Amino acid sequence: MAVDEPPVRARRDRVLAWLDRVPTLVWIGAAALVVVGVVALFGGLDDAEATVDVTELQALAVGVASGGAPTDVTVLSVSRTTAMPELWLEADPGQEFIVVEIDAVNTWDRTTVGIRSAVLLELDGELVEADRVMVSADLAAVSTLPPRVPTRMTLIWPVPVGAVGDVAPVLVTDSVFVPDPVLLDAPYWRDLGPRWVVSAPVETAPHAAQGDGSAP
Amino acid sequence: MRRPRLRGGLAVLAGLVLVVAAWGVLELAPSTEAVQAPIPVRVGMGERGEGRNIAATVLDVVIAERLTDEDPFDPWNGETTGQWIVVNATVESTRRGGSLDARLELGSLSIIGSGRPPIGTSLQTAPLEAGIQVTGWVAFEVPADAPLPSTATIRIAEGIDSRLDSVITVRLDLAGADRVGEFVLPDTETAAR
């Protein structure tokens, strides 16, 4: 059995004594730096992904249901306009409205609240939620969808004139159900972001919403 | 020589027993959802239910294909591909002002009162003041792809977060409810101070 020679043992003791003098906070700080370094190494400190490469998304035709969850979305039409009299809306100078009409079905068995993030518009690589989300029949602004009631909806984005060309990239998102979350008290749907892209031809209309035409 | 081995074996066994016991405790413990569940105050139609912060009396239920309101110039178009269950009730926030949260349990479905009816015609969006009774209707948009069950349950709470708080719970007789093509939502009525 090897025994440390006295000079070696003395050197080890000096090192241990020096380490012993290092304050605990320094150790904690060093450990934190290591964690941050590893996180940075794997991209954890990068900016959150606010853009999307539409070429990587699954193409979906106008009029075809996404089959997404919990909201199954069918993009029906896209139009541009500068005025929507039924909503008392007029675009600011240099702006126009992009109006997307969809059929949406909440396939879950509870009322959902994520309709606003179910459909996005891609503008210069940015994902943008609609400014207004309404039921087309009465143009009532809603944030929820009842379960299993197919609903025709009108979504409106104010955009700079020319920001959307002849074809609008309408993105449809998907979510996954988390039945037993660790930190939250109730099950929820985790947003997976855009999964489908509908390259919809943009029609020009004086006003595109399908309300009864009467002012609110 | 045998004793340390025996002791080690006992330690492993004890460890396994503790793991199984811990699993058992975990399985038997109520879920967070159950621990924080609202406290139901169950009453029948026409009976006043009073909880810590809310009181309600459910008066009537109607099933309608379409809703509208009393506005003669610009009537609301409450069309749906489903159907409407509208519930008439008198509600009162008993402690502080707030808002109503009405939910319908219909078979396996849980439906929040619709936000579509115009302001002033729905209890779901009516402001509540402490001690002031409000009477009106709350509308639920429900699917039409399957026959309605004969009963449903309405749960009325003050505010959307009813964890560990009172919820007035009333069973609705849908089989005996009036069925109409169009139902006109009257304005909500607030009792005089």
Side-chain angles (χ1 to χ4, degrees):
Chain A
M1 199 164 180
V3 178
D4 287 344
E5 292 298 318
V8 175
R9 189 183 298 166
R11 206 177 311 145
R12 192 183 65 185
D13 288 347
R14 276 201 303 277
V15 170
L16 287 175
W18 180 81
L19 289 175
D20 204 31
R21 284 197 299 274
V22 177
T24 309
L25 276 177
V26 172
W27 288 116
I28 293 172
L33 279 178
V34 169
V35 170
V36 170
V38 171
V39 167
L41 198 64
F42 287 94
L45 299 186
D46 294 349
D47 287 342
E49 195 67 37
T51 61
V52 66
D53 183 354
V54 293
T55 59
E56 291 178 357
L57 301 178
Q58 205 173 317
L60 198 66
V62 171
V64 175
S66 70
T71 312
D72 185 2
V73 171
T74 306
V75 175
L76 300 172
S77 68
V78 181
S79 58
R80 74 173 83 244
T81 185
T82 52
M84 302 186 74
E86 63 272 53
L87 290 169
W88 301 94
L89 274 180
E90 197 164 321
D92 292 336
Q95 297 264 311
E96 63 182 356
F97 299 119
I98 297 297
V99 182
V100 176
E101 191 160 62
I102 64 168
D103 275 342
V105 186
N106 165 17
T107 56
W108 196 27
D109 57 7
R110 300 186 193 184
T111 297
T112 54
V113 294
I115 182 62
R116 187 175 291 273
S117 58
V119 179
L120 307 169
L121 201 59
E122 193 260 331
L123 294 169
D124 280 339
E126 299 280 325
L127 309 180
V128 184
E129 289 185 357
D131 191 53
R132 292 186 183 218
V133 178
M134 301 169 294
V135 174
S136 299
D138 53 3
L139 299 178
V142 290
S143 56
T144 62
L145 264 187
R148 297 187 214 158
V149 179
T151 306
R152 184 150 297 179
M153 310 194 77
T154 301
L155 292 77
I156 303 175
W157 285 261
V159 300
V161 171
V164 175
D166 294 336
V167 174
V170 181
L171 310 181
V172 180
T173 65
D174 200 8
S175 298
V176 63
F177 189 56
V178 183
D180 195 14
V182 177
L183 296 178
L184 299 177
D185 296 333
Y188 73 104
W189 288 88
R190 184 161 60 84
D191 191 358
L192 297 176
R195 184 170 168 198
W196 298 274
V197 57
V198 182
S199 298
V202 182
E203 300 160 9
T204 300
H207 57 88
Q210 299 298 307
D212 56 13
S214 54
Chain B
M1 290 297 284
R2 280 186 181 173
R3 190 169 283 175
R5 192 174 295 174
L6 184 64
R7 200 178 291 166
L10 281 174
V12 169
L13 190 64
L16 285 174
V17 168
L18 285 173
V19 167
V20 171
W23 173 80
V25 168
L26 204 63
E27 288 298 307
L28 291 173
S31 67
T32 310
E33 209 169 356
V35 168
Q36 299 182 347
I39 298 153
V41 177
R42 293 189 176 86
V43 291
M45 290 269 288
E47 295 173 3
R48 177 181 161 93
E50 185 161 350
R52 186 190 73 88
N53 56 351
I54 183 91
T57 309
V58 172
L59 304 166
D60 198 6
V61 57
V62 173
I63 300 164
E65 292 173 13
R66 185 176 182 274
L67 296 183
T68 186
D69 64 0
E70 292 178 322
D71 189 333
F73 304 107
D74 182 24
W76 171 54
N77 174 16
E79 280 181 3
T80 176
T81 60
Q83 56 192 324
W84 295 97
I85 294 178
V86 278
V87 178
N88 185 213
T90 295
V91 297
E92 176 187 343
S93 176
T94 54
R95 294 175 72 91
R96 59 175 184 184
S99 59
L100 189 80
D101 182 62
R103 293 171 192 237
L104 187 73
E105 308 292 336
L106 183 76
S108 63
L109 305 182
S110 176
I111 305 161
I112 298 175
S114 177
R116 286 181 57 190
I119 298 290
T121 64
S122 171
L123 282 178
Q124 186 77 18
T125 49
L128 297 181
E129 289 185 50
I132 307 292
Q133 289 189 340
V134 182
T135 299
W137 295 78
V138 57
F140 299 93
E141 204 172 357
V142 306
D145 59 356
L148 288 176
S150 58
T151 62
T153 301
I154 185 170
R155 298 160 62 84
I156 298 173
E158 194 274 297
I160 58 168
D161 186 1
S162 57
R163 287 176 299 173
L164 285 173
D165 220 330
S166 304
V167 173
I168 312 301
T169 305
V170 182
R171 176 167 285 206
L172 306 172
D173 176 17
L174 297 183
D178 286 344
R179 288 174 176 265
V180 297
E182 182 176 275
F183 183 80
V184 180
L185 281 176
D187 290 347
T188 54
E189 291 176 12
T190 303
R193 289 172 187 268

